[in-house]
Amino acid sequence: MPDNIHIKLNTASVEARVDAIQAAFEERGMKPAEFIGEFRELAEEKWLPENGARVCAKAWTDPAFKARLMANGKDAVAELGLSMPAHHRHLVVLENTASIHNVIVCTLCSCTAFSIIGLPPDWYKDLEYRARVVRQSRTVLKEMGLELPASTEIRVWDTTADTRYMVLPMRPSGTEGWSEEKLAGLISKDMMIGVARVAGT
Ligand code: FE
């Protein structure tokens, strides 16, 4: 590459580089602006952790649904009108209990069941989390504010391109008779990743 072009690339602002990439797509008949607009709408309005929270609350209150969810997560969430991209072939639901705590990671990059639990938080994409949660899960969880009893077994699940995970948190006692909507309000994205637990569990 000639020197002058090299210098130009290095000094271009992020905006100028984005414009150049966008122009290159447009020259080839693609429509990046439309794609970005659609993606933003999906990310901000459709791929929300409230989806997974609704699934978990339903599983807490409806044993038959829970059985279907554990057997085939993707089919079960479809019953609630939730969809997953075609390449997410499996949704595996991991149930937390008093003796077993599940936590998910993507050691390669940042994969999650994003249409169900929302897009991954920044820390989920950090090399630090990806490398350490596998080998030092108890310490990493403690650093993130979740101190588990020594008697609780921690299981770490590594996401792949076609298999996505969701942790089903434990339902706290004292919530008998609550509506699904109220129960769903207890559940966060971090709990469905497995780095937090519902208060009182
Ligand atoms: Fe990934």
Side-chain angles (χ1 to χ4, degrees), residues 33-101:
E34 283 178 27
F35 174 80
I36 292 165
E38 283 168 22
F39 186 89
R40 181 167 293 152
E41 193 182 312
L42 284 167
E44 291 174 358
E45 293 170 25
K46 298 256 189 327
W47 297 337
L48 302 172
E50 285 80 0
N51 296 335
R54 195 154 63 88
V55 173
C56 294
K58 175 95 174 153
W60 281 350
T61 55
D62 181 341
F65 175 78
K66 182 183 166 188
R68 295 195 295 279
L69 182 70
M70 303 303 288
N72 183 331
K74 191 168 177 174
D75 282 355
V77 300
E79 293 177 30
L80 304 187
L82 300 171
S83 62
M84 298 178 67
H87 72 282
H88 294 190
R89 292 184 54 222
H90 310 286
L91 175 66
V92 177
V93 176
L94 311 160
E95 186 181 13
N96 279 351
T97 66
S99 57
I100 296 169
H101 182 87

Side-chain angles (χ1 to χ4, degrees), residues 106 109-111:
C106 178
C109 44
S110 59
C111 302

Side-chain angles (χ1 to χ4, degrees), residues 21-164:
I21 292 167
Q22 202 155 324
F25 276 117
E26 273 155 11
E27 274 171 29
R28 288 159 180 78
M30 296 178 224
K31 299 187 168 84
E34 283 178 27
F35 174 80
I36 292 165
E38 283 168 22
F39 186 89
R40 181 167 293 152
E41 193 182 312
L42 284 167
E44 291 174 358
E45 293 170 25
K46 298 256 189 327
W47 297 337
L48 302 172
E50 285 80 0
N51 296 335
R54 195 154 63 88
V55 173
C56 294
K58 175 95 174 153
W60 281 350
T61 55
D62 181 341
F65 175 78
K66 182 183 166 188
R68 295 195 295 279
L69 182 70
M70 303 303 288
N72 183 331
K74 191 168 177 174
D75 282 355
V77 300
E79 293 177 30
L80 304 187
L82 300 171
S83 62
M84 298 178 67
H87 72 282
H88 294 190
R89 292 184 54 222
H90 310 286
L91 175 66
V92 177
V93 176
L94 311 160
E95 186 181 13
N96 279 351
T97 66
S99 57
I100 296 169
H101 182 87
N102 298 284
V103 58
I104 63 180
V105 63
C106 178
T107 55
L108 283 180
C109 44
S110 59
C111 302
T112 56
F114 54 77
S115 64
I116 306 300
I117 71 170
L119 289 170
D122 288 341
W123 54 259
Y124 185 89
K125 301 181 232 176
D126 278 352
L127 188 55
E128 172 96 357
Y129 174 75
R130 285 155 42 204
R132 290 184 62 226
V133 78
V134 179
R135 289 183 301 165
Q136 308 167 349
S137 48
R138 197 172 297 274
T139 308
V140 170
L141 291 176
K142 189 176 170 184
E143 287 167 5
M144 294 178 85
L146 179 62
E147 190 164 5
L148 293 167
S151 57
T152 301
E153 178 192 338
I154 300 172
R155 295 184 181 168
V156 183
W157 301 78
D158 192 3
T159 309
T160 65
D162 66 359
T163 300
R164 307 292 164 128

